[in-house]
Amino acid sequence: MCEGCGVALQTEDKGKLGFIPASALERTPIVCQRCFRLKNYNEFQRTALDETHFLRLLSQIGETRSLVVHIADIFDFEGSIISGLQRFIGGNEVLLAVNKMDLLPQNVNRNRIVNWVQRQAKEMGLKIADVVLCSAKQSDGFERLIEKIQQLRKGRDVYVVGAANVGKSSLINRLIHDYSDLDAELTVSRYPGTTLDFVKIPLEDGKYIVDTPGILYRSRLTELVAPDVLKQLLPDKPLKPAVYQLNSGQTLFFGALARFDFVKGERQSFTCYVSNAINIHRTKTEKADELYAEHKGELLTPPTRDELEELPPLTRHSLRIRPGEQLDVSISGLGWISVNGTSGADVELYAPKGVRVVTRESLI
């Protein structure tokens, strides 16, 4: 097995998963050519694995007696929760670890975030034993996560699950470093689909921590864009909230990836939480169609015109925020827009066809 992604190794066919040159079999750690090139040259090869494959692997957890650690991404909470997880894991307990907390402003109230996560998880049908907020990048909350795992696992194996790009492998590498005598590390990258099969890390008591493949959801923008766009889409620094005072009849473009129209309502502010690499452009709604047609991939970037051809066309979502509601408009994989007014608003959000767009209780 490849010690980076878990796939079975083979030396016969360069075009298939798990290929390793025979001359590399003596290296330590033993990793497939795909993992080697990803780690050393940042070269990414897309795989043919799909959601069905991942769910089939996930269903095997239901046949075990284990603790399930579900890693979610605070930047894309709705998109990173595994839909129907309970159906696959049986009666096993779930510890929800919410990663990438380093992206949020430092002054956020963490207790409020925990309460928000618990309410959102309940609405999405996920039964959880506890919530831990953490940051794999900054090692924040990691000790508390370890304590909770030790408290809840009760001598059982631990399966770590999550969607692609939520930071599972980064967190598990910390576990390997601190709690295992393995020399190898899981392959970590910004690209979805890095881990391809179960990867078992032995613990001192003879049990295992098991990394599972990240599920690829086509409803997340991160799974649709070209690799170069993905680098811009995924924030690697704390978000800089961008506040816009809008009148009805004004539009915000997020590169050429999404469009937000303030259709009806009193003048009010909207706060945008997206990667700092995404260009936000304001215009009048009456000029928005023409602007997009003429300047997508040029003034409106990312993506470039060539990269834009890989994406489905933008489709419209009509949303109503009632007076008194404090809501976010969330675009899976891109970020969210907080509606700050309390007088209500009618808005329209355009995103590539199939990308999940929802309103939710305000996170911040």
Side-chain angles (χ1 to χ4, degrees):
M1 293 292 183
C2 171
E3 295 181 32
C5 69
V7 75
L9 294 171
Q10 52 91 13
T11 59
E12 304 297 324
D13 191 338
K14 289 184 178 181
K16 292 184 178 180
L17 293 176
F19 175 75
I20 181 174
S23 59
L25 289 172
E26 302 302 318
R27 293 177 184 165
T28 302
I30 300 178
V31 296
C32 69
Q33 188 174 74
R34 174 179 175 271
C35 283
F36 180 83
R37 300 198 70 83
L38 182 60
K39 185 172 184 178
N40 292 282
Y41 303 106
N42 202 31
E43 292 183 8
F44 177 64
Q45 300 174 352
R46 290 193 181 273
T47 69
L49 300 177
D50 57 18
E51 184 177 333
T52 302
H53 169 87
F54 294 126
L55 294 179
R56 187 165 58 247
L57 285 173
L58 195 63
S59 64
Q60 296 177 27
I61 301 175
E63 302 170 5
T64 70
R65 182 178 172 273
S66 56
L67 171 67
V68 177
V69 178
H70 186 345
I71 309 293
D73 181 350
I74 195 63
F75 182 66
D76 184 15
F77 186 78
E78 291 78 17
S80 63
I81 292 293
I82 299 176
S83 178
L85 177 64
Q86 307 289 160
R87 187 168 72 250
F88 298 103
I89 64 170
N92 291 317
E93 282 187 304
V94 178
L95 172 61
L96 184 59
V98 183
N99 193 24
K100 304 189 184 179
M101 285 296 296
D102 57 286
L103 298 179
L104 299 187
Q106 290 185 352
N107 61 350
V108 296
N109 185 312
R110 292 212 164 196
N111 289 331
R112 185 183 183 281
I113 299 293
V114 168
N115 292 335
W116 182 91
V117 167
Q118 289 172 332
R119 289 192 296 271
Q120 296 299 309
K122 184 177 180 180
E123 284 186 16
M124 300 173 76
L126 184 63
K127 298 177 182 177
I128 53 178
D130 211 336
V131 173
V132 176
L133 306 180
C134 58
S135 166
K137 183 176 181 180
Q138 295 189 347
S139 300
D140 178 39
F142 191 78
E143 295 304 323
R144 176 167 167 74
L145 179 60
I146 296 297
E147 289 173 5
K148 280 295 174 184
I149 290 175
Q150 296 288 32
Q151 176 186 333
L152 294 173
R153 79 181 187 96
K154 299 171 183 175
R156 297 175 291 175
D157 290 337
V158 178
Y159 282 81
V160 184
V161 304
N165 265 118
V166 298
K168 289 190 300 84
S169 294
S170 295
L171 285 169
I172 289 180
N173 280 337
R174 282 298 309 274
L175 291 170
I176 292 175
H177 181 268
D178 291 355
Y179 294 93
S180 175
D181 58 1
L182 288 184
D183 294 327
E185 286 190 351
L186 303 182
T187 300
V188 177
S189 83
R190 296 169 64 85
Y191 305 116
T194 304
T195 303
L196 302 177
D197 210 326
F198 288 155
V199 180
K200 291 188 172 183
I201 299 101
L203 297 174
E204 294 177 353
D205 61 2
K207 298 297 182 179
Y208 293 89
I209 287 179
V210 186
D211 187 23
T212 64
I215 295 178
L216 297 169
Y217 285 126
R218 301 289 291 179
S219 58
R220 305 174 75 203
L221 190 56
T222 45
E223 265 77 292
L224 300 179
V225 297
D228 285 343
V229 181
L230 182 64
K231 295 175 186 177
Q232 297 171 279
L233 201 59
L234 292 175
D236 58 1
K237 297 178 181 179
L239 302 174
K240 294 180 179 178
V243 182
Y244 291 86
Q245 294 285 341
L246 299 182
N247 296 314
S248 60
Q250 289 189 301
T251 289
L252 298 176
F253 278 104
F254 298 86
L257 295 168
R259 164 182 162 182
F260 177 84
D261 292 355
F262 181 21
V263 177
K264 183 180 178 181
E266 297 178 3
R267 176 178 172 83
Q268 57 190 284
S269 70
F270 299 84
T271 305
C272 305
Y273 295 88
V274 298
S275 167
N276 303 332
I278 303 297
N279 297 315
I280 303 176
H281 186 88
R282 173 162 52 180
T283 189
K284 292 182 178 179
T285 303
E286 62 187 28
K287 298 180 178 179
D289 288 342
E290 180 181 354
L291 179 71
Y292 185 77
E294 293 184 3
H295 297 289
K296 60 184 178 183
E298 296 172 357
L299 173 66
L300 304 177
T301 59
T304 63
R305 281 191 177 269
D306 289 342
E307 293 165 338
L308 195 59
E309 292 179 0
E310 298 184 25
L311 287 175
L314 299 184
T315 58
R316 182 177 63 186
H317 304 259
S318 296
L319 307 167
R320 170 165 289 182
I321 292 88
R322 296 182 179 87
E325 290 184 323
Q326 292 281 291
L327 299 180
D328 295 336
V329 178
S330 174
I331 310 101
S332 186
L334 176 63
W336 69 93
I337 304 158
S338 291
V339 182
N340 300 323
T342 58
S343 58
D346 289 350
V347 303
E348 290 181 346
L349 196 291
Y350 294 76
K353 185 177 181 181
V355 170
R356 184 174 184 174
V357 174
V358 298
T359 56
R360 68 184 189 193
E361 175 189 345
S362 290
L363 171 63
I364 299 175

